[in-house]
Amino acid sequence: MRPHPIIPALVLCAACSEAPPRLPSALEHGTLVVVTINSPTTVYEDAEGNYAGLEHDLVNAFAGELGLAVRYVFMTDAAQLFKTLEEGRAHLAAAGIPALTPLGARVRFGPTYQTVRFEVVYRTDQPRPRSVADLLGKRLAMVAGSGGAENLRKAATRDAALAWSEMPVEDGLALLARLADGEFDYAVARSNVVAMATDFYPNVGGAFTVGEPTPLAWAFPEEGDPRLLAKAEEFFSRIARDGTLKRLLDRYYGHAGRLGPVDVNGIITRMRSVLPALKPWFQEAERLTGIDWRLLAALGYQESQWDPLATSPTGVRGLMMLTEETADRMGVTDRLDPYQSIIAGARYLLVLKETLPARIPEPDRTWLALAAYNLGFGHLEDGRILAQRKGLDPDAWMDVRQSLPLLSRPDHYMTVQRGFARGGEAVYLVENVRTYYDILKRFEQRERPLTADAPGYAEALP
């Protein structure tokens, strides 16, 4: 599918005295105007300075099928989203919206593409609440317009004294960061956000769910072009059938919530104490290879916890845990020299990425290369062959992840060229690196391009 250009983001003028005219149909105008919220679960700027996020990928795939350009308009809360739709100033809202029509709102919802639960979240150094009754008299908060209030009301029918604050924060992660800092006692947030938050804030955790499962969907103006809604219904039906939707959900949530508090505390502690001395070398490795230094640091942490003297029983050594063969290939004279190890590890990962077929897109190319870093390229190819035999996509990490553990079973590894391999360990490495990378992206900045023509340059989100 050929990507279509994104028109730079605009912010609607809330103070204008006269409402602008309603937009013409996107199908006739050639541009799809989408209102959203800037957050990790919707649309955000990624490490390369490009737009990313589940909603972004869904919208762009939809617009691409229709031959439309996209203009994103960023709002601060759900109330603004619905107001903008009702006034006909946007064609759809894509922001992880609960498919529950607010009182008086004149909108229609498209098909459900994700279902979440609302969870009561607590600080793990405090007693865990077991029911709504435990929330009485406590400071309880949620994101305004998130749908949490509706679910809590249903769960609290017998506890009329239950009270809460609806916070005007940009997203659920920001809310849970404030919970982690002790600003209030409990929070209510969506399950997908809670899974992400536990990877960043080791002292928060989900206590129990409230209400029923909540479907998320795009919202359309009630008076909008019905053909656009019909096209959206066709689009979601197709991507559910062909596996595209499942792959996108896995891209953004498949690795969330994998680490325990000890793992998260470990990298955050060493990020402050050990990483500063290593950071210039990881950044030099990025300049040499083009691979985000934070991804390289995540790999190094998974391999050795940034210990330059690390040695495994199998003979791999150093911060990036290089085999003797790989070290020789990369020109390393001392595997225990952290600078040499980091540069060689980065160069080796780049070689693996470039060896994969050119048709494989990102981020699957990176995840597959990481698996090869652990297993060896030949064993990765065997895993991809097994995926193909099972009717899976050998170019998609989500599918290859299912086949790699089969390399430890005789009925499978006896049928491929290179035989036995600990494929499950490669899956474990990749999923952990993905999570450590998310943590580092949240707390560490990438070196920004200096000019507008530098690779990955994009106008920052407002």
Side-chain angles (χ1 to χ4, degrees):
M1 183 187 306
R2 183 180 178 183
H4 286 257
I6 298 177
I7 296 175
L10 303 175
V11 178
L12 294 184
C13 176
C16 295
S17 57
E18 292 186 9
R22 300 182 71 89
L23 290 172
S25 168
L27 299 176
E28 297 165 359
H29 185 254
T31 298
L32 184 68
V33 179
V34 179
V35 281
T36 188
I37 293 172
N38 176 208
S39 84
T41 59
T42 53
V43 181
Y44 62 92
E45 186 181 340
D46 69 10
E48 268 59 44
N50 301 314
Y51 291 114
L54 177 63
E55 298 290 357
H56 165 271
D57 290 1
L58 288 170
V59 166
N60 271 37
F62 176 57
E65 288 193 1
L66 299 179
L68 304 176
V70 181
R71 179 190 299 157
Y72 289 102
V73 184
F74 293 90
M75 305 277 98
T76 58
D77 56 45
Q80 283 191 342
L81 292 177
F82 289 120
K83 183 174 186 294
T84 303
L85 283 182
E86 292 169 6
E87 292 175 349
R89 294 187 285 156
H91 297 117
L92 66 89
I97 303 167
L100 307 167
T101 306
L103 185 64
R106 299 188 304 278
V107 298
R108 294 179 291 177
F109 288 100
T112 298
Y113 57 86
Q114 188 179 11
T115 300
V116 298
R117 299 293 299 260
F118 280 88
E119 295 185 39
V120 172
V121 189
Y122 75 112
R123 292 194 307 280
T124 53
D125 58 348
Q126 300 296 317
R128 179 176 182 168
R130 301 292 177 180
S131 68
V132 172
D134 293 336
L135 310 181
L136 295 173
K138 303 294 184 180
R139 296 171 300 166
L140 177 64
M142 65 190 67
V143 177
S146 65
E150 290 80 358
N151 280 270
L152 198 56
R153 288 189 188 98
K154 294 174 183 176
T157 52
R158 297 182 182 179
D159 298 295
L162 183 66
W164 58 83
S165 299
E166 296 193 44
M167 310 292 290
V169 294
E170 59 270 27
D171 59 57
L173 280 178
L175 177 81
L176 297 184
R178 293 171 66 173
L179 172 67
D181 289 340
E183 290 191 28
F184 30 84
D185 301 310
Y186 305 118
V188 174
R190 296 175 188 171
S191 52
N192 57 336
V193 175
V194 177
M196 295 175 67
T198 56
D199 289 336
F200 304 132
Y201 310 111
N203 65 329
V204 303
F208 61 90
T209 60
V210 291
E212 299 298 321
T214 301
L216 305 183
W218 290 349
F220 296 79
E222 191 174 74
E223 299 177 8
D225 186 346
R227 296 176 298 169
L228 189 65
L229 177 56
K231 293 289 186 183
E233 290 169 345
E234 295 171 6
F235 168 73
F236 278 106
S237 176
R238 180 189 63 75
I239 66 172
R241 288 194 311 271
D242 68 16
T244 299
L245 179 58
K246 186 177 179 181
R247 286 192 292 273
L248 288 176
L249 290 170
D250 180 79
R251 174 180 298 179
Y252 290 103
Y253 299 112
H255 61 293
R258 287 180 55 88
L259 301 181
V262 172
D263 301 306
V264 178
N265 269 319
I267 189 171
I268 290 176
T269 299
R270 294 181 72 81
M271 186 173 64
R272 295 165 181 160
S273 61
V274 178
L275 183 59
L278 302 173
K279 183 174 175 179
W281 297 337
F282 281 119
Q283 290 177 328
E284 181 176 342
E286 175 180 342
R287 290 190 289 272
L288 290 171
T289 63
I291 300 173
D292 188 341
W293 76 265
R294 296 168 299 181
L295 176 69
L296 299 172
L299 174 58
Y301 184 81
Q302 169 61 28
E303 291 286 52
S304 68
Q305 295 191 332
W306 298 325
D307 177 5
L309 304 180
T311 302
S312 83
T314 59
V316 293
R317 307 185 75 188
L319 192 146
M320 300 296 280
M321 295 299 270
L322 303 174
T323 66
E324 189 171 357
E325 179 185 359
T326 300
D328 289 344
R329 183 180 175 186
M330 296 294 114
V332 173
T333 58
D334 181 1
R335 285 187 285 167
L336 300 185
D337 178 341
Y339 172 77
Q340 288 193 57
S341 186
I342 289 169
I343 300 301
R347 289 177 54 219
Y348 181 51
L349 182 61
L350 179 62
V351 167
L352 294 169
K353 289 182 66 173
E354 292 179 341
T355 306
L356 287 162
R359 66 177 179 271
I360 299 178
E362 290 289 4
D364 297 270
R365 173 176 293 273
T366 293
W367 309 147
L368 291 169
L370 286 170
Y373 189 100
N374 176 267
L375 274 180
F377 194 84
H379 286 302
L380 173 68
E381 288 299 283
D382 286 346
R384 295 178 64 228
I385 289 169
L386 292 178
Q388 194 166 31
R389 289 177 185 173
K390 290 169 63 68
L392 302 174
D393 184 353
D395 295 343
W397 169 245
M398 182 185 73
D399 288 353
V400 176
R401 182 177 62 191
Q402 299 178 47
S403 67
L404 286 178
L406 301 178
L407 293 173
S408 63
R409 289 174 45 180
D411 55 332
H412 291 281
Y413 72 69
M414 295 288 287
T415 70
V416 290
Q417 183 177 350
R418 297 157 192 89
F420 172 84
R422 293 183 175 87
E425 291 183 6
V427 174
Y428 180 81
L429 176 138
V430 175
E431 297 304 282
N432 280 6
V433 169
R434 291 175 69 184
T435 305
Y436 290 138
Y437 183 36
D438 280 350
I439 293 170
L440 290 170
K441 284 191 294 183
R442 188 160 185 85
F443 294 109
E444 294 282 346
Q445 294 297 313
R446 190 176 189 184
E447 290 188 304
R448 302 300 298 163
L450 298 178
T451 62
D453 59 355
Y457 177 84
E459 182 177 339
L461 291 172

